[in-house]
Amino acid sequence: MYKKILALGLLVSSLAGCAVVSSQSDPSMSMDRYKPHTAWQPTPDPLVQQGVLDNGLRWAVKALPDNDNRDRVELRLRVRAGSLDELDSERGLAHMVEHLAFNGTARFPKHEMVAFFESAGMSFGGDINAYTGFNETVYSLTVPSDRPDLIATAFEVLYDWSTAVSFEADEVAKEAPVIVEEWRLSEGTEQSAGLQFFNHLYADTAYPERMPIGDMSIVKAATAEQLRGFYQRHYRPDNIDVVVVYPEGSMDAVAAIASTFAGWQREPSAIDEPQGSAVDLAGIELFGLSDSDQLNSFWLLYLPGLSYETNSAAGNELGFIETLYTQALTGRLQRLGEQEQAALIDSSAGIDSLEDGQKPLQIYGTVYEGRSSEALTALAAELRRMKRYGISTEEYQQIGGQFRISIENWVSSLAGASSAEHIDWLMSDISEEELPEDPESMLANLDQLLSIPLADVNRIIAKAIQPGHLRGYFFHPKGAEFDAAAAKAAYLTGWQNKLEERTTVSAGFQADAYRFPGLIAKTDDRLDSEGLMLWTLENGLSVVFKPTDLEPGRAYVQTLILGGNRALPDELVMASELWASARIRSGLAGLSGQDFDDALQSLGVGYDLFYSKVYAGVDVNGPADQLDRMLQLTAGSLTEPDLNETLFELVKNTSIEQADQFDQTPDWNFYGRYLAAVYGDEPRYTIWSGAQLSELSMADVQAVQENLLKSHQGALVAIVGDIEVARVEQLLMIYLAGLPLQAATETTSFGSITESAQTLIISGQVEERTDIRYVFSASEPTLSPLSLSLSEVFNLALDKRLLESIREDSGLSYGTAVFQHPRYFNESQWRLHIRFSTDPQRQQEALTILNAELERVLAMPFSATEVTEAMSKYREQMQQDLSTNAGAINALTDTLLYAIPAVQYDDFEDILVEVTADQVNALAATLLGGTRVVTVYQP
């Protein structure tokens, strides 16, 4: 658990005189004799109860303290059987059983289960879902905590899934084509580079032949009897976990589990454990991988790791040391890419967890075209340096501090986290057979771990890195060459070069940077009525603050500036697409690149920038006592004129390489024609070529920066967090009130983009799959909270109809995507998008059924029942979004987009009261009657 938290908080990659040692048959470094420095014992999470019923069923429940925002019960049914448990003749049946569990049980015939929950506002795929893995099948339900009737029904569903799936022959026949389309969409007919990698890494094990999606020939021919046979063998009480997370006081979960499942009696079975040999990492082998979608080049390296028992004092320390040195290694590798003439671009290190339980060291590094050998030599050299010299005292101290901040942030976020987030952590522990730990104990554990002498840490690091064993995979675009012998020589060269000890630890931010002092022009105290404070600063900047201790000691700041690249002259549009990356890489306050990233991690601050066609802005979050730094970052992001030339060139060259590679694929032609048909020659919807990007200068991106506060249609800063109002007010006057924000310019509305109806049949799709896209454009409605709510309700209602006709009734597609692009303040069209994929042999059938369904929407409008159900789903979504600080801050800044007062950010309930079926159907008629562009992308 400890290592998982640190990996999450520090964003460790999850693909994420020393001579080369000789090969050995078992390259894993056993640490059985390691003597720990601490007498660590995991402290159980006091909120979690676990037990086993007399019939062998295991259960775990977690009661969360009521924080006024938790209003969901999360239920999971985990069957400890997946695709590895299938017989050769059953490949794909574990996954198919999971699908058919939604197609009828003893108490819920056919699709009545999904229909029942959807009628209560729950969504299929969101609140009702499931997945199948190699070793488990997990079903999930999310229900409102104030609906005891739904909670009771949810337990009935869990029981039926466990004991009473129907497997009716007609449902089996209908579901097989759906799974085939899921396979076509996820894995497809061209073997992806990722799947090639998996099959090669796990060669000689059972995994490649037991992918959860299965063998399509077996799936197509599957019978109810075969499915029932797998189900009867593995869906047994002694092979199941039931897990529930709920707000305290909303139910008695232990009693509910007992009353539901205690009477389920079956003789325990001697289920054969899945047999699969281990991945062999012995020796040095390197391979090249490619597919039609591979646009960039990168190395993915695996070196055998340490072998130890996770749930032990030794495992606790060794896991900490692994996370410690891989974090240090990531920083060193990133700095390699910041040097002039570097072969590497981005790199990271981490400890991966393979399916067979091994925990190898994993190195990831993107490289410039044609420089794979240089990059591999550089990676090997840094591994050698780490093995020989270990980490420095400064690195140990800095990364230890970052660990502390990560844990403190995690503990704080858990205090305000939803039931869904808590059950994800709990399910991870249960799946990995780990004890759910008390989050508060993590900091005390860290104090003990940081007392391990550095010399002992470095001795373990020297053992952990084993250069004589390597599986290396070079992912590259099609057409590029790969020479395995040359790559091996390059790797060995890196281990033979003479090296000196070299470590770099960044300094902190310049404390006095980006201060723009000024006064507050207006204060509007709405704390008692709306829970908000509103200010207008003397430069005209609007600020809204929502004080909350939902996440104790945490704060979020989001700045939104309206205009985006539509507020730019056409010649700067291309440069705007590089601004965010170039600004982040160049850093702020005297730091750039990895130094900047290290400083952010030491503060526990998350930082991001965005620049779209409609708006631009800054997102920061972190400890509340770092609000001054967060506002400093906000001000600097909007005003800092300088960029780091080396890092700008890195961003630019990376973009050029990806564009050049994309230019060689059939997708380039498809997207170019698609965008031209929908958006005309508008430069803001252009796919830029490498040649065009090469003409960009740093001055162009700096000009985008200069325009941020000059050419805009409004600006808003939203702050949410556990901070005193007086403190916020004080910091606003130091950092933001004097920002050189010019008055908002008059909104320029762009003319119609989609001018004529078109149907494009475009060939070139590499996969044996046809992608179908419909876009409807209309000049109405205008943007308002009501029109946005209507559009969301319409999306949900239409999506359900399409799901029934295109997936459930015909098996044409795994599913559809229905979404809308509203008519924002500077646009003149509202667009509806419908997308799905299907078998090329059935594409005409798919078009016919879709057209008929859309005509049916006009001829047979949505009923009041359909609209009420869609409204319930939308209400549930909004309630869940607003129950978190991140959701609240997004809703606050959205008010600027919708041109409504910030105090109305959570008024969706009042707005939904106004929604009627007639209004939804009027919107349907408007959008479906708009200009239609259909694109069919076929092989």
Side-chain angles (χ1 to χ4, degrees):
M1 174 66 126
Y2 177 80
K3 188 159 63 174
K4 286 187 288 188
I5 297 161
L6 295 183
L8 175 72
L10 294 168
L11 302 179
V12 172
S13 171
S14 60
L15 277 178
C18 182
V20 177
V21 300
S22 61
S23 296
Q24 57 190 52
S25 59
D26 181 8
S28 295
M29 180 63 71
S30 174
M31 301 302 293
D32 291 344
R33 296 183 179 180
Y34 177 79
K35 296 187 182 305
H37 297 72
T38 63
W40 173 82
Q41 288 287 338
T43 303
D45 188 335
L47 302 181
V48 175
Q49 298 180 67
Q50 292 180 276
V52 182
L53 299 183
D54 290 342
N55 58 12
L57 182 141
R58 304 190 314 199
W59 57 266
V61 302
K62 186 171 187 177
L64 301 176
D66 185 11
N67 63 5
D68 295 329
N69 278 345
R70 292 185 174 125
D71 55 3
R72 296 293 181 277
V73 175
E74 295 285 346
L75 305 99
R76 300 291 184 271
L77 177 78
R78 176 177 178 250
V79 184
R80 297 192 296 278
S83 57
L84 283 182
D85 298 274
E86 298 164 340
L87 304 175
D88 287 346
S89 60
E90 295 178 323
R91 285 175 291 169
L93 296 199
H95 178 234
M96 197 170 186
V97 166
E98 171 229 302
H99 271 242
L100 286 160
F102 295 91
N103 290 20
T105 67
R107 280 179 284 197
F108 301 92
K110 301 292 185 183
H111 297 276
E112 287 186 14
M113 176 193 302
V114 174
F116 170 78
F117 284 118
E118 286 190 327
S119 68
M122 297 163 61
S123 61
F124 184 46
D127 301 312
I128 315 157
N129 211 337
Y131 69 84
T132 301
F134 288 109
N135 300 294
E136 64 181 7
T137 304
V138 178
Y139 300 85
S140 64
L141 286 172
T142 304
V143 296
S145 59
D146 61 351
R147 291 286 304 274
D149 57 325
L150 289 181
I151 295 173
T153 302
F155 275 95
E156 292 178 358
V157 168
L158 295 186
Y159 185 78
D160 269 22
W161 278 337
S162 304
T163 66
V165 175
S166 301
F167 299 112
E168 295 182 10
D170 60 332
E171 293 295 334
V172 172
K174 285 166 57 177
E175 200 62 29
V178 173
I179 295 174
V180 171
E181 292 310 312
E182 182 182 358
W183 164 83
R184 194 186 306 277
L185 189 63
S186 61
E187 295 192 9
T189 52
E190 182 194 36
Q191 191 176 72
S192 68
L195 187 56
Q196 294 172 46
F197 154 73
F198 184 91
N199 289 341
H200 191 280
L201 181 65
Y202 288 95
D204 301 322
T205 74
Y207 296 99
E209 294 300 317
R210 288 292 187 278
M211 297 297 286
I213 194 70
D215 182 320
M216 291 306 100
S217 63
I218 292 175
V219 169
K220 290 177 184 178
T223 66
E225 183 179 4
Q226 287 176 302
L227 291 158
R228 196 172 289 112
F230 180 89
Y231 180 73
Q232 291 293 330
R233 287 203 315 274
H234 297 288
Y235 283 59
R236 315 175 55 88
D238 57 312
N239 203 37
I240 279 179
D241 298 286
V242 175
V243 184
V244 184
V245 174
Y246 60 99
E248 191 175 30
S250 62
M251 63 179 298
D252 185 340
V254 175
I257 291 171
S259 64
T260 303
F261 290 97
W264 180 19
Q265 297 298 326
R266 289 185 62 185
E267 290 297 322
S269 63
I271 298 174
D272 292 335
E273 290 292 327
Q275 298 298 314
S277 56
V279 171
D280 181 9
L281 295 176
I284 299 176
E285 296 187 67
L286 299 109
F287 307 89
L289 305 171
S290 186
D291 64 32
S292 300
D293 294 325
Q294 188 65 44
L295 302 181
N296 63 338
S297 301
F298 64 87
W299 278 107
L300 191 59
L301 310 178
Y302 284 86
L303 289 82
L306 301 175
S307 176
Y308 54 86
E309 175 60 41
T310 304
N311 294 312
S312 66
N316 179 55
E317 290 187 12
L318 293 168
F320 163 76
I321 292 171
E322 286 181 323
T323 310
L324 180 71
Y325 93 79
T326 53
Q327 178 64 14
L329 186 56
T330 292
R332 296 184 189 184
L333 295 176
Q334 277 293 93
R335 287 184 173 88
L336 291 180
E338 296 168 8
Q339 301 172 2
E340 292 188 9
Q341 303 302 314
L344 284 161
I345 303 172
D346 285 304
S347 306
S348 62
I351 301 299
D352 198 4
S353 293
L354 300 187
E355 296 290 345
D356 64 0
Q358 292 189 66
K359 306 179 189 70
L361 168 63
Q362 182 196 63
I363 306 292
Y364 167 80
T366 56
V367 307
Y368 288 111
E369 183 180 1
R371 303 185 67 187
S372 62
S373 291
E374 292 176 68
L376 187 56
T377 297
L379 291 171
E382 283 307 315
L383 281 170
R384 181 175 185 236
R385 196 190 316 273
M386 178 64 75
K387 181 176 179 67
R388 180 170 183 178
Y389 297 109
I391 64 173
S392 67
T393 301
E394 293 78 13
E395 286 176 309
Y396 196 8
Q397 292 172 346
Q398 182 183 70
I399 297 172
Q402 292 172 353
F403 284 3
R404 180 176 300 281
I405 289 290
S406 293
I407 295 172
E408 289 173 348
N409 283 347
W410 179 70
V411 172
S412 176
S413 68
L414 278 184
S418 65
S419 299
E421 292 173 271
H422 278 274
I423 204 165
D424 286 344
W425 282 105
L426 185 54
M427 288 297 295
S428 175
D429 288 335
I430 289 170
S431 294
E432 297 177 20
E433 303 287 340
E434 292 186 359
L435 177 75
E437 286 187 61
D438 178 9
E440 298 289 346
S441 71
M442 301 289 181
L443 289 172
N445 181 28
L446 179 62
D447 288 335
Q448 293 183 9
L449 293 170
L450 290 173
S451 69
I452 300 174
L454 179 59
D456 291 351
V457 168
N458 284 333
R459 274 193 288 271
I460 296 301
I461 293 173
K463 289 184 177 182
I465 299 174
Q466 302 179 62
H469 303 289
L470 171 72
R471 281 294 170 280
Y473 297 92
F474 183 60
F475 291 71
H476 59 83
K478 270 198 166 179
E481 295 183 357
F482 175 74
D483 185 332
K488 183 174 182 178
Y491 175 73
L492 295 176
T493 297
W495 280 95
Q496 293 162 356
N497 290 341
K498 291 184 178 180
L499 297 171
E500 296 179 354
E501 183 174 11
R502 184 180 68 206
T503 59
T504 304
V505 177
S506 68
F509 287 118
Q510 297 172 5
D512 58 349
Y514 314 121
R515 292 186 174 218
F516 294 92
L519 301 175
I520 292 175
K522 181 182 178 183
T523 300
D524 186 1
D525 186 341
R526 300 288 189 92
L527 288 173
D528 292 337
S529 59
E530 308 289 346
L532 300 174
M533 279 291 294
L534 299 101
W535 296 280
T536 303
L537 308 185
E538 68 171 324
N539 57 4
L541 182 62
S542 297
V543 181
V544 56
F545 170 49
K546 176 181 171 62
T548 171
D549 61 358
L550 183 63
E551 295 180 34
R554 293 277 295 168
Y556 294 73
V557 182
Q558 187 177 96
T559 302
L560 193 71
I561 299 175
L562 291 189
N565 65 26
R566 287 181 175 265
L568 294 173
D570 287 356
E571 61 269 20
L572 290 180
V573 170
M574 182 168 56
S576 71
E577 298 195 9
L578 268 64
W579 171 74
S581 296
R583 176 75 277 154
I584 291 172
R585 284 281 195 168
S586 295
L588 294 166
L591 301 176
S592 61
Q594 187 61 35
D595 289 341
F596 180 60
D597 187 62
D598 280 346
L600 291 174
Q601 289 190 30
S602 294
L603 296 173
V605 170
Y607 169 72
D608 197 17
L609 303 174
F610 49 92
Y611 206 118
S612 75
K613 297 168 182 62
V614 179
Y615 50 77
V618 187
D619 248 328
V620 285
N621 65 82
D625 61 8
Q626 296 295 334
L627 181 62
D628 55 344
R629 290 290 173 267
M630 290 187 257
L631 296 183
Q632 181 188 32
L633 288 166
T634 299
S637 301
L638 302 176
T639 61
E640 173 59 64
D642 294 331
L643 296 172
N644 181 295
E645 187 171 358
T646 299
L647 296 177
F648 167 73
E649 289 298 323
L650 183 152
V651 170
K652 175 182 171 181
N653 291 336
T654 303
S655 299
I656 290 170
E657 285 203 2
Q658 291 182 347
D660 283 341
Q661 295 299 338
F662 189 43
D663 193 10
Q664 305 303 311
T665 67
D667 289 354
W668 171 277
N669 174 56
F670 165 71
Y671 282 106
R673 293 180 63 186
Y674 165 75
L675 292 172
V678 177
Y679 302 107
D681 58 2
E682 167 56 54
R684 287 153 187 82
Y685 294 93
T686 297
I687 302 176
W688 307 106
S689 68
Q692 290 171 307
L693 289 167
S694 67
E695 297 175 2
L696 276 178
S697 69
M698 194 163 71
D700 294 326
V701 178
Q702 289 170 322
V704 172
Q705 174 90 42
E706 292 171 6
N707 270 273
L708 275 172
L709 300 180
K710 292 180 180 178
S711 302
H712 66 92
Q713 279 84 54
L716 174 68
V717 175
I719 303 173
V720 174
D722 187 15
I723 324 167
E724 295 293 331
V725 172
R727 173 71 171 156
V728 175
E729 198 166 56
Q730 175 192 28
L731 294 176
L732 290 175
M733 290 190 288
I734 293 173
Y735 291 102
L736 300 185
L739 271 177
L741 178 71
Q742 297 192 8
T745 59
E746 183 177 347
T747 299
T748 301
S749 179
F750 284 65
S752 296
I753 296 175
T754 310
E755 297 180 348
S756 59
Q758 298 182 57
T759 297
L760 302 176
I761 308 295
I762 304 172
S763 298
Q765 168 72 272
V766 175
E767 298 279 359
E768 282 300 311
R769 183 184 83 217
T770 295
D771 296 332
I772 296 173
R773 298 183 177 209
Y774 277 46
V775 181
F776 297 86
S777 301
S779 58
E780 296 293 335
T782 55
L783 186 67
S784 70
L786 178 59
S787 63
L788 281 165
S789 295
L790 286 170
S791 72
E792 294 292 344
V793 172
F794 168 55
N795 285 352
L796 293 165
L798 178 60
D799 190 52
K800 183 177 182 184
R801 281 206 185 179
L802 295 180
L803 183 70
E804 292 172 349
S805 60
I806 292 177
R807 172 176 164 148
E808 294 174 2
D809 294 342
S810 62
L812 281 163
S813 179
Y814 179 60
T816 57
V818 177
F819 60 96
Q820 296 188 41
H821 181 95
R823 178 186 165 188
Y824 288 117
F825 61 96
N826 57 5
E827 298 181 313
S828 62
Q829 287 184 323
W830 193 295
R831 287 182 291 279
L832 166 68
H833 297 257
I834 302 171
R835 297 177 183 177
F836 67 97
S837 300
T838 192
D839 183 344
Q841 303 300 318
R842 302 183 70 189
Q843 72 184 46
Q844 188 54 53
E845 179 187 359
L847 290 166
T848 299
I849 289 178
L850 177 58
N851 288 332
E853 188 58 48
L854 295 177
E855 289 297 325
R856 190 169 78 89
V857 170
L858 297 175
M860 299 175 59
F862 297 113
S863 66
T865 299
E866 287 177 293
V867 170
T868 298
E869 181 180 302
M871 286 171 58
S872 296
K873 290 181 187 177
Y874 178 55
R875 182 180 291 108
E876 289 289 312
Q877 292 173 5
M878 290 298 295
Q879 287 173 347
Q880 292 188 53
D881 287 345
L882 288 172
S883 69
T884 65
N885 284 348
I889 202 165
N890 286 330
L892 284 167
T893 52
D894 280 350
T895 60
L896 183 65
L897 273 176
Y898 308 154
I900 61 173
V903 294
Q904 296 180 18
Y905 81 102
D906 59 351
D907 286 356
F908 69 94
E909 291 279 10
D910 295 337
I911 296 167
L912 281 177
V913 171
E914 302 177 38
V915 172
T916 66
D918 288 342
Q919 291 172 319
V920 173
N921 287 316
L923 177 63
T926 297
L927 294 178
L928 295 177
T931 305
R932 177 189 301 196
V933 174
V934 179
T935 54
V936 178
Y937 188 28
Q938 63 186 17

